[in-house]
Amino acid sequence: MDTKLKRKLKENITGFLLLLPSLIFMVGFTVLPVFKSFYLSFTKYTLGMKKPLWSGFSNYISLFKSEIFWKVMYNTIFFSVITVVPCMVLGLTLAFLVNRKSKSVSILRTVYFYPVVMPMIAVASIWMFIYMGKNGLLDQWLSALGMKPLNVLSNKNTVLPFMAIMYVWKESGYLMIFFLAGLQGISEDLFESARIDGAGFWVMLKNITLPLLKPTMIFVSTIALTNCFKLVDHIVIMTEGAPNNGSTLLLYYIYQQGFTNFNYGRSSALTVIMLFLLLFVSLPRFFRQDKKAFYN
Amino acid sequence: MKRKIGFLIFLSLFLLILSCGGNQNKTKDGKVKLVFYYPVNVGGPVAKIVEKLTKDFNEENPDIEVEAVYTGNYDDTVTKIQTAAQGGNPPDLFVSLATQRFTMASSGMAMPLDELIKEDGEEGKKYIDDFLEGFMEDSYVDGKIYSIPFQRSTMVLYYNKDIFKEVGLDPEKAPETWEELVEIAGKIANDKRKGVGIALNSGSAQWAFTGFALQNSIDGKNLMSEDGKKVFFNTPENVEALQFWIDLQKKYKVMAEGIVQWTDLPSQFLAEEVAMIYHTTGNLSNIAKNSKFNYGVAFLPAHKRKGAPTGGGNFYISSGISPEKQKAAWKFIKYLTTAERAAQWSVDTGYVATRKSAFETDIVKNYYKERPQAKVAYEQLQFAKPELTTYNAAEIWRILNDNIQSAITGEKTAKEALDNAQKEAAEVLKDFN
């Protein structure tokens, strides 16, 4: 071993040792389970079986043949489409609002950030009071206005859009934080010189703010997409996937297959599918768009 | 530098050891230690009562120490037992749905209790024979007893006597047939309130549907075979029963459209937004305490015959625990199901007492005098049959519930929905036939 390499190793060893505790946990609780799921997804493994039984692609084949699986995939993609963009738009708008210099800003920041710190379970319970059929706030308002109660959670056409409203309410405050950090990272000089040149709000937004926010955008859109794939708690509380799996999303389906039906093989296959979906949506962002973005 | 590295290695190892919990099930100071998982699925102070009973037991049996662990609702409990078992640390005994027994037996998670009963000799036989047949019926797997009835319930019809009076009906006469149900509900229903309410969310629909299927069957045939290996979802009678639900919503307009949650139904009843509800007898104390009107409890309306589903949880003992622990667990189960305790349990919670002798006690006699509505569930038991119980019960429930919901929301016709349910369920049960 040449001395250069030795020196490099010596320099880095402290770093690796400092990483070691988290690395152990990361390997134990993330890396190993991923490989285990991968293996289990090719086996038949249900409640009461002492050992998983190799079964090739049978889990995947039965999933691709099942109507419910495609319904769940459709729901998941539909849900992410109707939540990610509104979350980001609202998050950015909120960031603009709380980025101003005014006395009410700290109150505003608290108000908008408040939903974020609440656990999803609590949020879901609160929104149950709004969405509940007949006794819920929403249906009460509708009947006060002389309209028919909707019972939104039991209608296959309304259940996902209304859950999306709740989710956007909770999530956009979280995204606001990243946008706020991004906005504050943009040098004030740029705006100042633009203002001197006579640029208005929209011009500055289009030519300065948004281009410089691009790295934040990429990051936030990835976070937003992966977060909404990982949503499960509110379904457990609010609908249990009803009506007829109209609100079943991928992670809830995994949970249901694994912990209600105890079909570990199928649930692992679903996990692997989800893993690839997440890689599919997040990797290109980091490898391609990341290079195009401008960092100052 | 070396010391720092050593410290870091030590720290990571320490954290690793911390993260692997030890097995706490060993006997301490000579006591047999048991871990007991129990779910709570209805309102009321059930958890407190179980804690109290456990404490009493521990005081009376100094050589045994039972630790009662509350584990959420029935679904959560199964998940927790399963997770604990996979981690090599299962509870020694637990309460789970009677419908779980095929799964518990086939997965080897629970043990048959026949040996323990036999060891008690005459006493043991007397003990088992004392349980109400309607409940004991769903304790068997392949002729062996796998569970002991504990928190058992059945579905009854609650109705609002004041509304009956208001629309000119006899408040002492609840609907006895489906036709009467439609007629009476039709008189009650208006813009502000519905005639009848049945919860059709996941986990509830299959229970109510068992009742309707029994009421509409020619020979009292249930939704599944007794051995739990076959289901009969798409018989013409069952299609008719499901169509009746759809008709209550769409044709007669006496029931709220769509899917009402199990937990919302009692509050709608208490708010007088619905005049009759199908609900568990386990809700009796809640309704008795919170209703501002006169309420009645009645048999479920009959059609071709009378019928009602039983439900609720039973005791199980985990397989693979030491004989010493088995004996202690058995003692604990017997302690919690003595006639007096079963009677008191019924009074405190609204569940139906599970033993015949419990109904001879003064506790139950006085209770029925004070609250005659409670007696209905007991009397209805002779017409009751077990709810949908099969191997892989949770998955089969889900299949039936999803398909029922697809019929209710109009995605499928009643026949298409039940045909589909039959097909999907047969696929799941294929492995057991």
Side-chain angles (χ1 to χ4, degrees):
Chain A
M1 213 191 291
D2 64 273
T3 45
K4 213 174 159 193
L5 195 72
K6 239 182 196 168
R7 225 183 60 212
K8 217 170 183 180
L9 210 72
K10 215 172 168 186
E11 268 170 19
N12 288 336
I13 197 148
T14 327
F16 277 112
L17 278 175
L18 284 167
L19 276 179
L20 192 65
S22 347
L23 212 61
I24 291 173
F25 282 99
M26 171 102 177
V27 168
F29 291 99
T30 309
V31 181
L32 288 182
V34 165
F35 282 106
K36 198 177 171 201
S37 295
F38 204 70
Y39 164 68
L40 286 180
S41 76
F42 294 106
T43 63
K44 183 181 162 59
Y45 189 26
T46 54
L47 183 70
M49 289 173 66
K50 294 276 173 289
K51 262 195 308 212
L53 214 75
W54 186 261
S55 71
F57 281 94
S58 69
N59 283 322
Y60 293 95
I61 293 168
S62 79
L63 277 176
F64 291 148
K65 275 195 206 154
S66 110
E67 226 176 281
I68 299 175
F69 171 74
W70 291 110
K71 195 170 188 177
V72 170
M73 293 311 278
Y74 170 80
N75 285 345
T76 310
I77 292 167
F78 176 71
F79 190 78
S80 54
V81 168
I82 60 173
T83 53
V84 169
V85 174
C87 273
M88 288 180 64
V89 172
L90 204 65
L92 187 58
T93 316
L94 291 178
F96 274 121
L97 281 177
V98 301
N99 195 28
R100 291 168 312 166
K101 290 187 181 65
S102 115
K103 272 180 190 160
S104 56
V105 156
S106 61
I107 298 173
L108 273 177
R109 283 184 189 176
T110 318
V111 169
Y112 292 135
F113 194 65
Y114 192 61
V116 181
V117 293
M118 279 200 282
M120 198 66 210
I121 302 272
V123 169
S125 307
I126 293 169
W127 281 72
M128 271 297 270
F129 286 107
I130 302 178
Y131 286 165
M132 206 161 70
K134 220 161 181 317
N135 281 322
L137 208 54
L138 183 71
D139 278 1
Q140 294 282 340
W141 282 341
L142 288 175
S143 34
L145 293 170
M147 285 190 279
K148 252 179 80 178
L150 274 177
N151 196 1
V152 285
L153 293 183
S154 87
N155 185 324
K156 66 175 171 25
N157 297 321
T158 50
V159 61
L160 279 181
F162 277 87
M163 283 217 169
I165 293 174
M166 171 192 77
Y167 180 67
V168 169
W169 174 79
K170 174 164 168 64
E171 189 74 359
S172 32
Y174 179 59
L175 302 187
M176 170 187 86
I177 296 300
F178 297 111
F179 281 124
L180 191 60
L183 282 180
Q184 296 190 337
I186 300 173
S187 158
E188 189 55 32
D189 304 350
L190 292 169
F191 292 109
E192 213 177 302
S193 46
R195 234 174 270 130
I196 292 167
D197 288 344
F201 174 77
W202 292 108
V203 175
M204 285 198 279
L205 181 73
K206 197 177 140 249
N207 295 331
I208 301 174
T209 322
L210 289 184
L212 287 178
L213 267 184
K214 201 158 179 205
T216 320
M217 286 282 191
I218 292 165
F219 176 72
V220 169
S221 66
T222 312
I223 293 265
L225 249 175
T226 47
N227 267 359
C228 93
F229 272 93
K230 288 186 292 190
L231 215 61
V232 65
D233 356 26
H234 71 304
I235 304 174
V236 177
I237 299 287
M238 297 175 84
T239 65
E240 298 185 26
N244 187 22
N245 285 314
S247 61
T248 304
L249 302 181
L250 191 50
L251 192 58
Y252 180 71
Y253 194 51
I254 294 175
Y255 167 81
Q256 193 197 316
Q257 291 299 335
F259 295 103
T260 316
N261 299 349
F262 298 112
N263 192 336
Y264 308 116
R266 199 186 301 160
S267 144
S268 301
L270 283 162
T271 312
V272 170
I273 291 171
M274 175 149 126
L275 190 75
F276 276 102
L277 255 172
L278 287 178
L279 286 177
F280 179 74
V281 297
S282 53
L283 280 187
R285 282 156 202 284
F286 277 112
F287 284 131
R288 275 192 308 134
Q289 298 182 344
D290 207 33
K291 289 207 181 101
K292 289 189 200 154
F294 176 77
Y295 294 88
N296 65 332
Chain B
M1 186 66 195
K2 271 214 178 105
R3 262 170 62 194
K4 262 191 215 160
I5 293 168
F7 175 72
L8 278 173
I9 292 170
F10 169 75
L11 191 73
S12 30
L13 284 178
F14 177 70
L15 284 171
L16 196 69
I17 290 160
L18 265 189
S19 63
C20 316
N23 187 332
Q24 305 263 307
N25 269 357
K26 304 245 163 62
T27 45
K28 273 186 224 155
D29 47 28
K31 278 187 185 182
V32 179
K33 186 161 191 248
L34 296 176
V35 176
F36 166 48
Y37 281 10
Y38 70 96
V40 173
N41 226 48
V42 291
V46 174
K48 243 183 226 157
I49 300 168
V50 173
E51 296 282 339
K52 167 98 180 32
L53 287 169
T54 309
K55 210 175 132 230
D56 292 349
F57 176 80
N58 286 340
E59 271 161 22
E60 282 177 41
N61 298 275
D63 53 332
I64 303 172
E65 192 190 323
V66 180
E67 184 196 346
V69 183
Y70 165 61
T71 43
N73 63 24
Y74 283 120
D75 283 351
D76 298 345
T77 304
V78 177
T79 307
K80 278 178 190 139
I81 294 166
Q82 174 60 14
T83 319
Q86 289 241 314
N89 201 8
D92 301 294
L93 74 161
F94 53 88
V95 169
S96 185
L97 284 171
T99 53
Q100 285 289 349
R101 68 185 185 282
F102 290 112
T103 312
M104 292 296 167
S106 69
S107 65
M109 277 163 69
M111 59 176 272
L113 307 172
D114 301 73
E115 286 298 313
L116 289 164
I117 297 165
K118 220 158 123 204
E119 274 171 37
D120 287 346
E122 266 306 293
E123 276 297 302
K125 196 179 169 321
K126 244 167 65 193
Y127 172 72
I128 291 299
D129 287 346
D130 190 34
F131 282 96
L132 295 167
E133 281 87 9
F135 289 143
M136 202 59 209
E137 201 179 332
D138 45 12
S139 285
Y140 290 88
V141 177
D142 294 337
K144 288 198 185 112
I145 296 174
Y146 268 86
S147 61
I148 298 295
F150 177 50
Q151 42 187 32
R152 299 305 301 272
S153 56
T154 180
M155 203 176 243
V156 289
L157 182 81
Y158 294 91
Y159 68 101
N160 185 323
K161 290 187 177 177
D162 290 3
I163 295 183
F164 271 51
K165 228 185 267 172
E166 184 196 312
V167 296
L169 292 161
D170 179 0
E172 297 311 319
K173 210 182 151 300
E176 279 171 21
T177 63
W178 288 8
E179 289 77 22
E180 281 179 32
L181 178 75
V182 170
E183 193 193 317
I184 289 177
K187 282 187 184 153
I188 291 164
N190 59 26
D191 290 349
K192 288 245 162 60
R193 65 179 179 222
K194 293 287 175 192
V196 59
I198 305 167
L200 301 181
N201 60 315
S202 301
S204 301
Q206 91 290 332
W207 201 37
F209 193 66
T210 305
F212 281 82
L214 289 171
Q215 290 148 17
N216 198 38
S217 69
I218 310 162
D219 48 3
K221 197 160 107 176
N222 208 333
L223 288 170
M224 69 291 171
S225 62
E226 258 173 49
D227 62 6
K229 293 178 181 172
K230 283 200 167 58
V231 291
F232 315 111
F233 290 158
N234 59 347
T235 63
E237 291 82 22
N238 291 344
V239 172
E240 237 173 75
L242 182 54
Q243 188 58 45
F244 182 63
W245 278 6
I246 300 170
D247 288 348
L248 284 176
Q249 295 193 353
K250 302 249 158 76
K251 191 166 151 199
Y252 308 119
K253 298 190 188 305
V254 293
M255 185 169 140
E257 283 199 29
I259 294 143
V260 173
Q261 300 288 321
W262 176 252
T263 39
D264 291 351
L265 209 50
S267 32
Q268 292 184 10
F269 179 69
L270 290 171
E272 304 196 52
E273 287 166 353
V274 51
M276 298 180 268
I277 58 166
Y278 284 68
H279 221 270
T280 169
T281 168
N283 228 308
L284 186 62
S285 343
N286 172 30
I287 285 172
K289 214 193 289 166
N290 296 313
S291 66
K292 294 186 198 74
F293 48 83
N294 292 308
Y295 70 95
V297 176
F299 279 21
L300 299 182
H303 194 52
K304 288 177 185 145
R305 59 176 59 236
K306 286 179 185 159
T310 60
N314 285 2
F315 282 114
Y316 294 84
I317 299 183
S318 290
S319 57
I321 61 172
S322 68
E324 201 184 8
K325 280 188 165 192
Q326 288 173 11
K327 281 209 184 81
W330 183 234
K331 201 169 179 187
F332 182 67
I333 291 174
K334 283 191 289 185
Y335 180 90
L336 258 63
T337 49
T338 61
E340 278 77 26
R341 288 197 189 88
Q344 191 59 45
W345 174 254
S346 166
V347 173
D348 292 342
T349 60
Y351 283 117
V352 186
T354 49
R355 295 182 64 179
K356 292 170 196 157
S357 53
F359 294 91
E360 313 286 317
T361 61
D362 290 341
I363 304 171
V364 166
K365 281 183 184 158
N366 291 336
Y367 177 55
Y368 282 175
K369 237 180 263 163
E370 185 192 318
R371 190 176 288 163
Q373 291 100 328
K375 210 172 169 184
V376 174
Y378 170 63
E379 285 166 347
Q380 189 183 239
L381 268 186
Q382 52 181 315
F383 305 106
K385 290 217 173 225
E387 64 179 320
L388 180 56
T389 312
T390 58
Y391 285 90
N392 282 20
E395 200 168 353
I396 301 290
W397 275 24
R398 182 78 197 191
I399 288 171
L400 182 59
N401 281 322
D402 284 348
N403 283 292
I404 287 177
Q405 287 179 357
S406 75
I408 295 294
T409 54
E411 281 170 77
K412 291 198 178 92
T413 65
K415 172 136 187 28
E416 282 165 5
L418 290 177
D419 279 345
N420 196 39
Q422 180 70 30
K423 195 185 83 199
E424 287 177 20
E427 183 67 31
V428 172
L429 292 175
K430 195 176 63 187
D431 293 352
F432 302 96
N433 278 302

